[in-house]
Amino acid sequence: MTSSNPKFNVGKITITLFAQLALERSGQKIDEFLNQHKKGIWGEITKEETEENEKTVISKNRNGKKIISSHVTSFQEYLWIITEFSKNMTIVLLPHEYERFFENGK
């Protein structure tokens, strides 16, 4: 069960060009997906990623930790949303862009 209140602060939000184009194709707004992310609706991620997200949400020390969610647009394109607490930022990107921004993988 998820609350209507955000579970964490997403910090500065960056949306890659490819993610923006995916949103335009779908006719959807980024707020739809960011609101799900902030409320702990992680979308299509693994059980392990879900467990790690939940541990991070309740952790007192989030430095160096990430929260990831994966959502599908109405145009059937995946958007990954990743909050990095050490950088106080969230990036919205497509899966193929991940390595460009996160060299060490998940």
Side-chain angles (χ1 to χ4, degrees):
M1 179 176 197
T2 58
S3 147
S4 61
N5 295 325
K7 290 186 168 201
F8 55 93
N9 182 354
V10 295
K12 181 183 178 204
I13 299 165
T14 301
I15 305 171
T16 67
L17 176 61
F18 287 113
Q20 185 62 44
L21 292 171
L23 288 165
E24 288 175 14
R25 282 189 290 273
S26 73
Q28 293 170 281
K29 303 287 184 205
I30 190 56
D31 290 344
E32 173 183 342
F33 301 104
L34 281 172
N35 287 336
Q36 290 179 44
H37 181 76
K38 291 188 285 190
K39 292 176 185 177
I41 302 169
W42 311 125
E44 298 187 22
I45 62 173
T46 67
K47 179 181 176 186
E48 291 80 15
E49 289 168 325
T50 297
E51 290 170 358
E52 192 61 35
N53 282 353
E54 294 298 331
K55 284 182 201 172
T56 300
V57 164
I58 62 172
S59 175
K60 292 185 193 280
N61 180 9
R62 295 179 179 162
N63 197 27
K65 305 220 179 208
K66 290 187 257 186
I67 287 183
I68 183 169
S69 64
S70 176
H71 303 278
V72 183
T73 70
S74 62
F75 205 69
Q76 300 304 305
E77 292 179 275
Y78 282 87
L79 289 177
W80 283 4
I81 304 175
I82 303 170
T83 297
E84 274 198 288
F85 291 102
S86 60
K87 295 181 181 177
N88 192 31
M89 68 165 284
T90 295
I91 187 165
V92 181
L93 67 161
L94 299 187
H96 77 271
E97 299 179 284
Y98 185 83
E99 285 187 15
R100 178 174 165 213
F101 294 94
F102 302 96
E103 298 172 330
N104 297 328
K106 290 184 187 177

